[in-house]
Amino acid sequence: TKHGPFTYLEVIKKLQQDEIHEHDYVWHAKMSSWMLISQIEDFKPEKIKEVAALGKVSDKDIFFRRKHPRAEVK
């Protein structure tokens, strides 16, 4: 099923909110074919953190905030 188009930040939010996953495919006009999100450098965790660090967007615009605290698992 195809959805979109989405901006870069919208895709990041969807990843954070488990609406899409690393094994989903994405495409844009500069790509020759569909690719797994996990294979695209712009969606690697380091790149996402870099975008946030540049100050172009705030963390709250990128990162999904948990509604509940983490539970400790032993």
Side-chain angles (χ1 to χ4, degrees), residues 1-3 25-28 31-36 39:
T1 304
K2 295 179 185 177
H3 300 277
Y25 286 85
V26 294
W27 178 85
H28 66 76
M31 296 170 65
S32 59
S33 63
W34 290 80
M35 291 181 66
L36 288 170
Q39 296 176 328

Side-chain angles (χ1 to χ4, degrees), residues 6-18:
F6 299 111
T7 66
Y8 178 62
L9 293 179
E10 288 172 330
V11 174
I12 292 171
K13 285 181 184 180
K14 289 182 177 298
L15 283 164
Q16 295 280 324
Q17 296 171 348
D18 283 335

Side-chain angles (χ1 to χ4, degrees), residues 14-54:
K14 289 182 177 298
L15 283 164
Q16 295 280 324
Q17 296 171 348
D18 283 335
E19 292 178 23
I20 58 175
H21 304 93
E22 295 83 13
H23 57 270
D24 288 326
Y25 286 85
V26 294
W27 178 85
H28 66 76
K30 295 180 182 179
M31 296 170 65
S32 59
S33 63
W34 290 80
M35 291 181 66
L36 288 170
I37 292 175
S38 62
Q39 296 176 328
I40 300 173
E41 288 297 318
D42 285 341
F43 294 106
K44 302 281 185 196
E46 303 81 30
K47 179 66 175 180
I48 293 170
K49 289 177 185 176
E50 181 182 308
V51 169
L54 291 174

